[in-house]
Amino acid sequence: MNKKDTGKYIAFFAGGILSALVFLLIFGIRILDVTYDDWLFFGMNKKDLIQHYMGFVNYKKSPWHFPIGLTDNIIYPHSISVMYTDSIPLFAIIFKLLSPVLPETFQYFGWFSLICAFLLGAFAGVSIYSGIRYVGGAKGTGNIVIDGMGSAKGNDEETDMGFSLDVPAIIYSSISALFFATSIIYLHRVFWHTALSAQWIVIAAIYVWLFKDKEYTLKKSVLVWGLLSVTALLTEAYFLPMVFGVMVCSVIGRLKGIIPLITSAGATLLSGYIIGMFYGGVNGSDNMLGDVSFNYNSFINSMGYSRFLKGLPLLSELQYEGFSYLGIAIYVLLILAVFTFVRTKTRAKEKLRFIDALPFLLFFICFTVFAGSPKISFFTRSFTIPLPGFIKSFWSIFRSTGRMIWPVCFLLMLFALIFSYKAFSKKYISVIVLVLALLLQVFENSEYISEVSAHYKTDYKYESALTDPAWEEIAEKYDHIMVYYPTIATHFSPTTEEVMIFASEHDMSMNAIYLSREMTDRYDEEVKEYFDNKEYLTDDKTCYLFLMNENLPEEDYGLNYYKLNGVIIGT
């Protein structure tokens, strides 16, 4: 019986535990209190964090429907999926099911992010360990083999049964995971766009591609890729093209490859239907394609997060979505890794076959082009590639294309860390170099880490800005708040989140809120039709919200207008 490589399991859990501990060190433990939700109203990206939490709160209050992800009180009288509030549908559904036994105030965002931190470190650790073992490690440098009788032997000795521990590789891999846990690419998403902190999904897909899929039977390959695809959708749909892109690279040249692709696509569509992905009337395509993209200077653009390098000009401030500066430490390790890779190939007199390099070429080219979008930008200059309308519409489903550079970033980091281990024959030197590089990365990112840590460790107490006593009278008299057109004002008005919170706390429905995508024109048309037909004259359960002062109706509808804490209400 072959030796079982127990080291990969140790690297998985050790990397995960270390990353989780770093997460708690940065963000504190207060956020894990499920009954403490005040901090969610004070996020560094306040508007989106409130959207995520209030999306779940309203979903929890809504009756069950089918599809099961629908909620009916935030674009009343219609229903919309909880996925469009970026409330992490998988967790939202689970905790809606459990809501009868949960406290009235309940938030899961702290625990979700801690779990993501663990899995990020875990899959990074096991990927690096597997990479080290795959490319070959030096013998006689600390590996231990435990045979079937429990006795230890050096790694040069063979045994027919038992398990092996490559101790230096385990230590190195576990520490390496912290490069991901302290990366700005990851930290910037925690509680900013909370669901996007599940970047472990991408690293898990890369791990399956590089180290596992060739071992899988067809049945297991279908199961694993299907599970990753569905998990991506039920967490944040932006991970879907990343998972499928990696899957395509994994199955190139393999006859069974098309089957996991087809079954994963089917499982994803079915899961999407079950959670209501096709309901709600939001714009699938978007005219912002190209603005929220990857700038081709982003690999050298710290955007101000580095202690050493200043940010460089961008075409648009929205191109922060394509942030891909890996940090000086990783770039140094990357240079070392390239040198080691070339030296290894040269000594072994191996030639890199095109068929072997093809998946990697496609990986880097396709994800980089996807991230850059049709508007190619370098610093403040750009040109747009003309495309047929249907391609542009499909592409713009994922309008924040800059995020698609993450798989490239993660693969470069894995390459740098794996081959840096091989740079030195004495592995304790590899570990020392790694620790020094990690300290350099933490120091380079320390200003942002300190800022985030101070913010989320503060003890907050939320008090509504809607303090006028008339608000309570409105809550007693009315059941529904109708946002006057244009309903897109919910995306730009600074008071939208306050009204969302107020309506939820008083069990009032709304016809429009701030969603992850803009609502279609039909909602404005419905409001216009409502007023044109003078339905407001007989509707004594609805009050009217005007989010833009200059947008009061020109026609005299006979409403009484009140300005309450800067918000105009019509009754």
Side-chain angles (χ1 to χ4, degrees):
M1 185 172 71
N2 293 329
K3 297 186 298 294
K4 184 177 182 181
D5 189 357
T6 310
K8 64 182 179 181
Y9 300 105
I10 299 175
F12 180 90
F13 286 103
I17 290 169
L18 287 175
S19 295
L21 289 174
V22 166
F23 174 89
L24 293 175
L25 186 64
I26 295 173
F27 293 96
I29 61 173
R30 185 83 166 94
I31 59 171
L32 301 182
D33 181 352
V34 296
T35 63
Y36 170 54
D37 65 352
D38 297 80
W39 66 277
L40 293 164
F41 303 113
F42 294 90
M44 295 177 73
N45 181 12
K46 176 181 177 180
K47 198 177 187 73
D48 280 16
L49 194 54
I50 291 175
Q51 176 206 66
H52 305 161
Y53 178 50
M54 298 312 299
F56 167 66
V57 170
N58 282 288
Y59 174 62
K60 183 176 67 170
K61 291 181 177 181
S62 177
W64 282 103
H65 300 277
F66 188 83
I68 62 173
L70 296 181
T71 178
D72 61 8
N73 48 11
I74 53 178
I75 58 167
Y76 183 86
H78 305 287
S79 297
I80 194 167
S81 174
V82 71
M83 73 178 293
Y84 292 114
T85 57
D86 284 339
S87 302
I88 311 157
L90 178 61
F91 274 55
I93 292 169
I94 290 172
F95 290 113
K96 180 180 173 70
L97 284 167
L98 296 175
S99 60
V101 297
L102 295 176
E104 182 177 354
T105 299
F106 181 86
Q107 63 86 15
Y108 49 75
F109 295 93
W111 280 100
F112 168 80
S113 298
L114 177 61
I115 292 170
C116 287
F118 173 85
L119 292 173
L120 179 74
F123 278 105
V126 74
S127 296
I128 293 164
Y129 178 83
S130 299
I132 289 171
R133 301 289 284 176
Y134 182 79
V135 300
K139 292 186 176 183
T141 54
N143 296 10
I144 298 175
V145 174
I146 308 296
D147 66 21
M149 301 300 293
S151 59
K153 301 179 181 181
N155 72 324
D156 292 329
E157 300 181 60
E158 298 295 334
T159 182
D160 292 331
M161 47 192 314
F163 60 88
S164 66
L165 290 180
D166 187 343
V167 177
I170 292 171
I171 294 172
Y172 183 93
S173 303
S174 302
I175 297 173
S176 293
L178 298 181
F179 280 89
F180 294 84
T182 58
S183 166
I184 299 297
I185 295 173
Y186 161 69
L187 289 175
H188 185 251
R189 296 298 169 169
V190 181
F191 308 133
W192 185 275
H193 296 124
T194 310
L196 289 174
S197 64
Q199 293 170 1
W200 65 268
I201 294 172
V202 186
I203 300 177
I206 292 174
Y207 170 68
V208 172
W209 164 33
L210 295 180
F211 307 116
K212 301 302 292 182
D213 201 25
K214 290 181 180 179
E215 303 173 5
Y216 289 160
T217 62
L218 174 59
K219 182 178 179 180
K220 192 167 185 178
S221 185
V222 166
L223 178 63
V224 170
W225 284 116
L227 183 61
L228 275 172
S229 302
V230 171
T231 301
L233 177 67
L234 296 182
T235 303
E236 165 54 66
Y238 269 92
F239 289 122
L240 268 179
M242 302 184 202
V243 170
F244 272 88
V246 175
M247 194 191 317
V248 169
C249 293
S250 181
V251 302
I252 287 176
R254 300 172 59 210
L255 295 177
K256 74 175 186 180
I258 192 67
I259 299 177
L261 275 170
I262 293 173
T263 54
S264 294
T268 302
L269 289 172
L270 178 60
S271 301
Y273 172 72
I274 291 173
I275 65 170
M277 181 172 68
F278 307 108
Y279 290 72
V282 296
N283 284 315
S285 58
D286 193 276
N287 57 14
M288 291 179 67
L289 179 66
D291 298 324
V292 197
S293 61
F294 166 76
N295 190 299
Y296 280 80
N297 73 9
S298 292
F299 281 116
I300 58 171
N301 189 349
S302 74
M303 298 188 191
Y305 289 106
S306 170
R307 278 182 174 270
F308 307 121
L309 299 177
K310 293 182 179 180
L312 301 172
L314 295 168
L315 181 67
S316 161
E317 63 179 13
L318 294 174
Q319 288 190 318
Y320 76 87
E321 290 284 8
F323 180 83
S324 48
Y325 173 71
L326 302 181
I328 291 175
I330 288 294
Y331 288 134
V332 170
L333 293 179
L334 194 56
I335 293 171
L336 181 62
V338 170
F339 174 78
T340 304
F341 177 79
V342 173
R343 183 186 64 187
T344 302
K345 290 292 182 182
T346 302
R347 286 181 177 178
K349 296 181 180 180
E350 293 181 11
K351 292 184 178 180
L352 189 62
R353 298 187 307 166
F354 176 76
I355 190 64
D356 295 328
L358 180 59
F360 294 94
L361 289 173
L362 289 175
F363 179 93
F364 285 110
I365 292 171
C366 292
F367 275 117
T368 302
V369 170
F370 194 166
S373 81
K375 185 183 289 186
I376 306 300
S377 59
F378 186 62
F379 291 87
T380 58
R381 296 181 176 274
S382 70
F383 69 93
T384 301
I385 300 173
L387 293 173
F390 74 94
I391 294 180
K392 188 175 181 180
S393 295
F394 180 78
W395 202 334
S396 64
I397 292 174
F398 300 97
R399 64 180 180 185
S400 296
T401 58
R403 300 168 185 173
M404 298 303 152
I405 202 64
W406 294 348
V408 174
C409 294
F410 297 148
L411 188 56
L412 288 174
M413 291 175 70
L414 290 173
F415 176 83
L417 292 163
I418 290 169
F419 279 91
S420 291
Y421 180 79
K422 283 182 61 65
F424 307 96
S425 58
K426 295 181 178 179
K427 296 311 171 188
Y428 72 88
I429 297 179
S430 299
V431 174
I432 291 173
V433 170
L434 181 77
V435 171
L436 292 175
L438 178 62
L439 292 174
L440 176 61
Q441 172 163 303
V442 172
F443 179 74
E444 183 175 19
N445 298 341
S446 59
E447 289 183 348
Y448 183 72
I449 292 173
S450 297
E451 179 186 359
V452 167
S453 183
H455 185 90
Y456 287 103
K457 286 180 180 178
T458 300
D459 195 12
Y460 293 102
K461 181 64 178 177
Y462 173 74
E463 293 182 1
S464 175
L466 307 181
T467 56
D468 193 303
W471 283 105
E472 293 303 318
E473 297 178 24
I474 288 172
E476 291 178 6
K477 185 173 182 179
Y478 301 104
D479 297 331
H480 180 59
I481 297 175
M482 177 177 286
V483 178
Y484 191 74
Y485 63 88
T487 55
I488 189 64
T490 56
H491 283 249
F492 305 107
S493 171
T495 57
T496 298
E497 56 265 29
E498 291 291 344
V499 177
M500 285 170 57
I501 297 167
F502 169 82
S504 179
E505 288 180 343
H506 293 86
D507 294 322
M508 300 178 73
S509 58
M510 295 182 65
N511 70 316
I513 67 163
Y514 172 53
L515 297 168
S516 61
R517 301 304 293 259
E518 289 80 8
M519 299 163 69
T520 57
D521 293 338
R522 83 172 190 184
Y523 295 96
D524 283 351
E525 293 167 0
E526 288 178 358
V527 175
K528 291 176 184 177
E529 184 178 353
Y530 176 90
F531 276 90
D532 290 343
N533 293 340
K534 302 187 184 304
E535 292 181 44
Y536 61 91
L537 293 176
T538 58
D539 189 346
D540 59 357
K541 291 298 181 181
T542 301
C543 64
Y544 309 96
L545 176 64
F546 301 88
L547 290 174
M548 298 181 180
N549 292 353
E550 68 275 13
N551 193 46
L552 289 176
E554 296 179 0
E555 184 176 344
D556 181 10
Y557 288 125
L559 297 175
N560 298 309
Y561 298 104
Y562 305 91
K563 192 169 187 178
L564 309 177
N565 302 116
V567 180
I568 296 180
I569 292 288
T571 64

